[in-house]
Amino acid sequence: MKKRVGVLALQGAFREHRQVLEHLGCDVIEVRKTNDLEEIQGLIIPGGESTTIGKLLQIDEMGEKIKELGTQDLPIFGTCAGMILLSKTIINSDQYRLSLMDTVVERNAFGRQVASFETDLLVPAMGPNPLRAVFIRAPYIREVAPNVGILAEYDGKSVFARQGNLLASAFHPELTPDLRVHQYFLNMIDEL
Amino acid sequence: MTDIGSLKVKTGLAEMLKGGVIMDVTTPEQAIIAEEAGACAVMALERVPSDIRAEGGVARMADPTIIQSIMAVVSIPVMAKARIGHFIEAQILEALGADYIDESEVLTPADDSYHINKHDFKVPFVCGCRNLGEALRRIGEGAAMIRTKGEPGTGNVVEAVRHMRTVMSEIRALTLMPKEELMSAAKDMGAPYDLVLYIAEHGKLPVVNFAAGGIATPADAALMMHLGCDGIFVGSGIFKSGDPKARAKAIVLATTHFKDAKILAEISKDLGQPMSGIEISTLTDSQRMQERGW
């Protein structure tokens, strides 16, 4: 049976995630309102502006509903802005967040847009071949609790992590043709 | 191999801005209001387009002090405008760390024949267009994002609608053309052939396309989203209105929920006076900013 996966579609690169998921055979729901969250088996929070998405999440307490689903083991994958929103602590910021992952995240940690880059990233959990990873005004994970597993590091900085049903990447797997990261997330739905 | 300033990285930031609103600001205070309202980026400039119209004179790149003071107070991307063809202004903006440069017809053009060779830069550029040929010439020069020109500073959305409809219908026409007609189409629209082939095959621009110029209400923003754009630029429409905070927030919501007329009805209430606006037929040719650029 097809998996029914939600992509938060308030702002950002949600269309790219939608296309990857459809390519992998999922039914995709664009989540704009709280009742769009019903009956999804997983949720992706896309790249975009974390402050913008955070403000839109506060309307009709949609963020609180996502938080509730996240604590009830709904698989959630956040890329870039999504990683920021999943984190409990954001350095130097009191912006809205979902506070689901036991991570400390620093925003714009590699500098402004002129410092944005793409690189080959080794992710042992995805096999021996490196992933092409695109970092755009990217954050990184500065600290984690012991229950968080680090899946990849770049330049000594944690950029990919999993905590149970939660997955977070500082880079954008939806901007490259490599499907492994999304496939990994869909496998999490099967495991949980 | 690590690559800084690649096309993927340049176009990637624009992809992240999709579904969002980019607001013109002239002071750090306005930038904070924009970020608070949910803007996905701000555009730092010296005067908003309606003031450029009212005051006349030569409009240039903003003072670096203003740009830096705006970069210091917000965490969202900060864009800045350079005059058409003024590659030194662009180099200065890149050195300041601006996240995107708008080579903009709103400012007084510095070169009346040539645009900036944007491939020379690591910072990405956004450029204006009125039709597909103009969009593809700008992309050929290295633009990583496109916007309609509209007619800035008028509060009148009619030109933005015209430009967006023109681009979208020209894209649709190319997808229906047999391949042997595409070279003539490229010649007629003055567009690079390889990009014409790309459009014919993919049915969309290779970069993000925003709407700009004349957007003054949440309904205007939702209209532009319906016509097929990826997001919205608002300039004078916010800070020349009666209640900038409320209007900025409403335009952000309208851009997200453009398909939901009930939400649009709710957020369009009690926003105070929109900017007064200018009827475009009263403008002389030299007052029409959209005619700048080639």
Side-chain angles (χ1 to χ4, degrees):
Chain A
M1 214 177 87
K2 278 189 169 187
K3 286 192 183 70
R4 197 176 151 89
V5 182
V7 178
L8 190 68
L10 297 173
Q11 190 269 325
F14 51 86
R15 199 187 309 152
E16 283 64 26
H17 281 289
R18 181 188 180 117
Q19 284 163 354
V20 178
L21 290 172
E22 283 175 347
H23 191 76
L24 290 169
C26 299
D27 268 335
V28 181
I29 309 296
E30 289 192 358
V31 175
R32 290 195 175 77
K33 287 189 284 193
T34 308
N35 58 15
D36 296 331
L37 292 162
E38 287 164 17
E39 292 173 37
I40 54 171
Q41 295 168 279
L43 177 69
I44 292 186
I45 305 177
E49 272 311 309
S50 60
T51 51
T52 302
I53 299 172
K55 280 176 200 307
L56 293 164
L57 276 174
Q58 290 172 68
I59 295 163
D60 291 337
E61 301 201 328
M62 190 165 157
E64 296 310 301
K65 180 69 188 170
I66 292 173
K67 213 168 145 175
E68 190 186 315
L69 293 170
T71 51
Q72 291 164 0
D73 282 348
L74 178 78
I76 304 180
F77 175 27
T79 56
C80 194
M83 171 197 252
I84 295 165
L85 287 160
L86 284 175
S87 181
K88 280 194 178 153
T89 309
I90 307 169
I91 305 276
N92 291 332
S93 174
D94 57 2
Q95 69 186 89
Y96 181 82
R97 81 285 311 259
L98 299 167
S99 293
L100 283 165
M101 280 183 94
D102 295 307
T103 49
V104 177
V105 164
E106 182 174 334
R107 290 186 60 192
N108 301 331
F110 296 92
R112 304 193 71 92
Q113 171 62 16
V114 285
S116 291
F117 60 98
E118 50 178 305
T119 192
D120 296 320
L121 193 68
L122 280 170
V123 187
M126 312 273 143
N129 295 330
L131 276 172
R132 193 69 183 161
V134 184
F135 290 80
I136 296 168
R137 286 173 49 95
Y140 86 103
I141 303 170
R142 203 196 262 191
E143 290 170 45
V144 295
N147 55 338
V148 180
I150 302 298
L151 297 172
E153 287 187 352
Y154 173 75
D155 202 16
K157 294 176 162 134
S158 303
V159 293
F160 195 13
R162 177 174 176 184
Q163 177 182 345
N165 60 317
L166 307 167
L167 186 67
S169 73
F171 56 91
H172 293 282
E174 77 282 8
L175 292 184
T176 56
D178 196 323
L179 304 171
R180 283 179 286 168
V181 175
H182 286 82
Q183 188 59 61
Y184 180 89
F185 177 63
L186 295 180
N187 293 347
M188 279 171 56
I189 295 178
D190 289 330
E191 288 165 25
L192 290 158
Chain B
M1 193 193 78
T2 299
D3 195 356
I4 294 178
S6 65
L7 191 62
K8 183 69 114 184
V9 162
K10 287 178 172 180
T11 54
L13 178 55
E15 302 288 349
M16 298 309 139
L17 298 172
K18 281 186 308 201
V21 181
I22 300 166
M23 300 181 192
D24 280 356
V25 297
T26 58
T27 64
E29 293 73 28
Q30 289 181 352
I32 291 168
I33 291 172
E35 187 176 47
E36 280 294 309
C40 65
V42 291
M43 176 76 70
L45 72 174
E46 209 164 50
R47 293 174 281 167
V48 293
S50 65
D51 285 337
I52 292 173
R53 283 188 188 286
E55 292 165 27
V58 175
R60 308 179 177 91
M61 173 187 83
D63 185 324
T65 307
I66 294 177
I67 296 168
Q68 281 180 320
S69 62
I70 289 169
M71 282 170 28
V73 295
V74 293
S75 64
I76 55 179
V78 176
M79 303 183 164
K81 287 186 193 287
R83 282 183 272 174
I84 290 176
H86 206 317
F87 54 86
I88 299 297
E89 283 188 353
Q91 287 173 9
I92 291 170
L93 293 173
E94 182 175 58
L96 288 170
D99 293 298
Y100 239 93
I101 296 176
D102 185 356
E103 186 182 21
S104 178
E105 68 282 357
V106 168
L107 304 185
T108 308
D111 192 320
D112 63 4
S113 300
Y114 305 109
H115 283 253
I116 296 170
N117 177 24
K118 293 164 275 285
H119 294 292
D120 282 347
F121 291 78
K122 295 224 180 296
V123 65
F125 282 73
V126 53
C127 287
C129 73
R130 287 167 300 174
N131 54 48
L132 186 58
E134 199 173 13
L136 297 183
R137 289 195 293 280
R138 297 294 84 79
I139 295 166
E141 293 159 355
M145 179 177 182
I146 288 293
R147 56 172 173 74
T148 55
K149 288 181 169 177
E151 194 51 56
T154 60
N156 189 335
V157 80
V158 67
E159 296 298 315
V161 167
R162 188 200 314 276
H163 300 157
M164 191 59 68
R165 281 202 183 275
T166 303
V167 170
M168 299 311 281
S169 77
E170 288 176 331
I171 289 173
R172 286 189 287 269
L174 283 185
T175 62
L176 298 173
M177 256 177 222
K179 203 168 178 192
E180 66 271 19
E181 294 179 13
L182 293 174
M183 183 58 88
S184 284
K187 173 180 165 250
D188 291 343
M189 67 173 79
Y193 180 59
D194 60 329
L195 290 172
V196 169
L197 286 181
Y198 178 94
I199 302 281
E201 190 183 335
H202 296 87
K204 67 181 204 59
L205 287 170
V207 302
V208 165
N209 182 21
F210 269 46
I215 294 156
T217 66
D220 288 348
L223 172 65
M224 296 312 301
M225 292 297 285
H226 264 288
L227 295 180
C229 70
D230 294 307
I232 305 288
F233 282 93
V234 192
S236 323
I238 288 175
F239 289 104
K240 290 293 163 187
S241 72
D243 186 350
K245 277 184 193 174
R247 188 162 292 268
K249 205 173 163 190
I251 291 177
V252 169
L253 280 172
T255 304
T256 296
H257 296 290
F258 68 96
K259 289 178 185 162
D260 192 327
K262 275 189 187 155
I263 295 181
L264 295 175
E266 204 52 43
I267 59 182
S268 298
K269 288 177 184 166
D270 304 323
L271 295 179
Q273 276 296 315
M275 68 179 289
S276 61
I278 299 171
E279 170 49 42
I280 291 180
S281 60
T282 64
L283 296 176
T284 64
D285 282 355
S286 67
Q287 289 172 318
R288 286 160 67 90
M289 291 174 174
Q290 60 175 285
E291 306 296 336
R292 300 165 169 178
W294 21 90

